[in-house]
Amino acid sequence: MGARRAPNAFVTLPRADVTGVTPDNGRILGGDELTLTGEGFFTGMTVTVGGAAATSVVVVTSTSCTCITPIGLVGAKDVVVTTIKNADTLTGGFTYT
């Protein structure tokens, strides 16, 4: 007997939905750790703040991840979570001060 393969075996990935960012403000020099909440988070997702890539993105659970803010300009910026399934935006979710 050989190895068995399950017919039609595939994984359905949930849609990402970012609903909150803590803290919601930080330094223009970046380097602040953020905790994002929502759902549909999984390894390999990316996060941008104001269009710039956050670093050290770590998925803690399917509803929480952490990352480090990039350098930014003063003002409210969109936070975007991107997975292979979709991208979701929290408009004005983080403010550089």
Side-chain angles (χ1 to χ4, degrees):
M1 296 188 111
R4 292 184 178 186
R5 240 178 63 191
N8 301 319
F10 63 93
V11 175
T12 301
L13 299 173
R15 292 181 58 79
D17 179 27
V18 59
T19 57
V21 177
T22 304
D24 63 359
N25 64 76
R27 305 167 297 154
I28 60 172
L29 295 176
D32 295 309
E33 183 176 80
L34 301 181
T35 298
L36 280 63
T37 54
E39 54 189 39
F41 298 168
F42 52 89
T43 302
M45 67 181 241
T46 61
V47 177
T48 61
V49 180
T55 58
S56 302
V57 177
V58 175
V59 176
V60 179
T61 67
S62 64
T63 61
S64 176
C65 80
T66 61
C67 64
I68 304 297
T69 58
I71 294 171
L73 299 175
V74 172
K77 307 299 177 195
D78 294 347
V79 176
V80 179
V81 169
T82 303
T83 68
I84 59 172
K85 182 81 172 187
N86 72 301
D88 189 60
T89 302
L90 183 61
T91 303
F94 184 80
T95 301
Y96 284 104
T97 55

